[in-house]
Amino acid sequence: MNIFARLMSGIYIHIPFCKQACHYCDFHFSTSMKKKDEMVSALAKEIAMRKEEFKNEVVETIYFGGGTPSVLAIEDLRLLIDEVFKNYNVIENPEITVEANPDDLSNNRIIELSNNRINRLSIGIQSFFEEDLKMMNRAHNTNEAKNCLEQATKHFDNISLDLIYGIPGMSNEKWIQNIETALSFGIPHVSSYALTVEPKTALHSFIQKGIIPPPEDEVAQEHFEILVEKLEEAGFIHYELSNFGKENYFSKNNSSYWLGKKYIGIGPSAHSYDGEKRGWNVSNNTMYIKTIQEGKLPIETETLSKTDRYNEYVMTGLRTIWGISLDRIQTEFGQTYLDYLNQQAAKYIEDHLLFVDENILRTTRKGKFLSDGIASDLFLLNLD
Ligand code: SF4
């Protein structure tokens, strides 16, 4: 294992609680906080139980995702961070991110977070327009979104904010206003996703009943193009399909996923990867707590085949600025894989959606928005 792989290991901690359910969301969370204390104890216990998995690793990032980690008291977050430091080799100044919603970020709360080793906030703004926030059933309003950014930038230098595009009824002008408002706070990182309609969500049912019109792909594509143009003009690097960072502000945590590094996922529904096997914890709070209390890990694992690893590399390669190294395909997967990739990529190269430079295959600007679809055409089915 090389030193880079060692240094890039990360710990993800899933906090499965939210104040209310956003209409589009299909993540794992509960809106009841009844089991909050038991959950925090179980998370701390899982952190300690899994230390052997990382006995040869150095932890560079700790990431609280969810759900809504900012619903936890600072004491709970501190306890979990301390548990990581107690049980793992952690570098001197790890990136510690907390996902937070604006309604939890009072001035005092922001100061508390900044005084407790947390050095990066990822704030779920989504939109600065009241009607969008209401339609999506977000727990915050426009004023909270703006106020929290104003305060957060005084205490944190490393802030990311999330914006959603392709919302039904959002004109290009409104979308530009959202981007410009976000930029006016001087934050160094933006994550932005198209609104997608997941099965079994409230949004899906509203669309089925004709209460809300469905999002349109053409609108989403236009918004994406505007986003790329505006953020690049403002000095951001488009380093992953949905992520833009100023230099030195790429998310270290997320980059480690995309670069195929190891990570341990703690908490219900959290995923893990050890370089060969992928694991996922049970997506049920009660079962998670019970299993951990019994001293067992509520995890299922699968060993990735060579074809699985190839497909993952193709998918992440096309989504990121690092691209797909054709040399790596040859050395790690062999000539058959390389031939197949070259053959499948040819038509996209001809259509100026992909290009090869210094033996790295990447999407062109025009191909970026289509990268997931193109990747699936480069995937292989079972060669093992
Ligand atoms: S706050 Fe985040 S995790 Fe919770 S319901 Fe909304 S989008 Fe989903």
Side-chain angles (χ1 to χ4, degrees):
M1 180 191 310
N2 65 36
I3 187 69
F4 184 59
R6 281 174 57 94
L7 283 175
M8 289 300 284
S9 300
I11 296 194
Y12 171 84
I13 304 172
H14 188 82
I15 307 301
F17 301 109
C18 291
K19 281 190 188 158
Q20 62 190 53
C22 300
H23 284 159
Y24 56 89
C25 181
D26 72 340
F27 291 164
H28 173 68
F29 65 91
S30 164
T31 49
S32 162
M33 296 287 284
K34 266 194 242 147
K35 290 186 191 293
K36 198 266 290 175
D37 290 345
E38 282 173 277
M39 179 59 72
V40 171
S41 305
L43 294 170
K45 192 165 172 192
E46 190 188 357
I47 292 171
M49 282 166 78
R50 297 183 66 179
K51 65 179 176 189
E52 284 301 301
E53 293 176 35
F54 263 19
K55 64 174 187 290
N56 296 320
E57 301 295 321
V58 179
V59 172
E60 199 193 30
T61 62
I62 302 170
Y63 190 97
F64 289 91
T68 311
S70 56
V71 297
L72 289 191
I74 195 70
E75 294 73 26
D76 293 330
L77 290 169
R78 193 161 49 214
L79 182 143
L80 296 171
I81 294 170
D82 288 348
E83 206 58 25
V84 173
F85 274 83
K86 222 180 340 171
N87 288 287
Y88 296 78
N89 299 319
V90 183
I91 61 161
E92 204 172 299
N93 192 19
E95 177 185 276
I96 306 185
T97 305
V98 170
E99 287 183 357
N101 280 341
D103 44 306
D104 294 324
L105 290 180
S106 64
N107 201 16
N108 284 345
R109 199 75 216 292
I110 292 167
I111 294 169
E112 268 182 355
L113 291 166
S114 70
N115 285 338
N116 280 279
R117 283 187 168 142
I118 295 150
N119 48 29
R120 186 169 184 273
L121 290 182
S122 172
I123 306 179
I125 300 288
Q126 317 308 356
S127 173
F128 291 99
F129 289 96
E130 215 61 65
E131 63 270 25
D132 298 337
L133 298 172
K134 287 214 170 85
M135 191 277 275
M136 295 189 285
N137 202 36
R138 297 289 306 180
H140 67 275
N141 58 37
T142 301
N143 278 343
E144 285 169 325
K146 290 182 178 169
N147 289 342
C148 85
L149 283 170
E150 214 170 287
Q151 295 307 322
T153 45
K154 290 184 192 156
H155 302 280
F156 283 85
D157 142 68
N158 198 349
I159 295 176
S160 177
L161 63 78
D162 288 355
L163 289 177
I164 293 183
Y165 59 86
I167 296 173
M170 181 182 275
S171 62
N172 287 353
E173 290 66 36
K174 261 179 82 180
W175 175 233
I176 290 170
Q177 240 178 291
N178 257 345
I179 299 169
E180 284 174 352
T181 309
L183 291 177
S184 69
F185 292 96
I187 38 89
H189 191 280
V190 173
S191 297
S192 189
Y193 302 86
L195 182 69
T196 50
V197 186
E198 304 296 344
K200 296 190 194 146
T201 56
L203 179 63
H204 184 260
S205 135
F206 293 148
I207 290 172
Q208 295 274 304
K209 291 179 188 149
I211 300 169
I212 296 177
E216 293 169 39
D217 282 353
E218 301 70 31
V219 174
Q221 179 154 4
E222 264 183 62
H223 286 183
F224 178 78
E225 280 160 14
I226 294 170
L227 176 76
V228 175
E229 192 185 311
K230 289 274 169 206
L231 290 185
E232 285 185 348
E233 257 172 37
F236 285 75
I237 301 161
H238 189 192
Y239 71 103
E240 196 270 345
L241 185 64
S242 309
N243 286 278
F244 302 78
K246 293 260 174 87
E247 215 172 319
N248 300 324
Y249 287 96
F250 295 2
S251 161
K252 287 186 190 154
N253 174 74
N254 293 356
S255 300
S256 72
Y257 297 153
W258 300 319
L259 290 167
K261 307 301 171 197
K262 296 183 180 187
Y263 57 90
I264 287 180
I266 302 289
S269 82
H271 284 223
S272 303
Y273 179 61
D274 70 359
E276 286 167 9
K277 287 194 300 308
R278 206 163 274 302
W280 55 96
N281 284 355
V282 65
S283 294
N284 178 300
N285 288 3
T286 308
M287 276 168 69
Y288 171 80
I289 291 169
K290 185 169 173 287
T291 315
I292 293 283
Q293 282 173 347
E294 288 166 356
K296 294 181 282 189
L297 290 174
I299 190 165
E300 278 184 64
T301 55
E302 66 170 358
T303 303
L304 296 185
S305 67
K306 192 161 140 184
T307 306
D308 292 335
R309 285 188 288 107
Y310 162 86
N311 289 343
E312 291 221 355
Y313 180 48
V314 166
M315 169 71 101
T316 51
L318 285 196
R319 290 180 65 107
T320 62
I321 49 165
W322 300 291
I324 302 170
S325 157
L326 300 179
D327 291 337
R328 180 172 160 190
I329 294 284
Q330 180 150 41
T331 49
E332 201 173 319
F333 301 99
Q335 191 64 38
T336 317
Y337 283 77
L338 182 61
D339 290 344
Y340 177 79
L341 178 61
N342 280 330
Q343 176 203 316
Q344 292 299 101
K347 57 181 176 289
Y348 296 107
I349 293 173
E350 213 176 289
D351 291 344
H352 305 288
L353 296 170
L354 296 179
F355 71 103
V356 178
D357 182 35
E358 296 188 343
N359 235 15
I360 307 278
L361 180 67
R362 293 190 175 89
T363 48
T364 60
R365 197 179 177 116
K366 195 171 135 200
K368 269 183 186 166
F369 186 73
L370 306 170
S371 62
D372 286 352
I374 298 172
S376 64
D377 207 19
L378 308 183
F379 284 172
L380 259 166
L381 297 174
N382 290 323
L383 264 196
D384 294 343

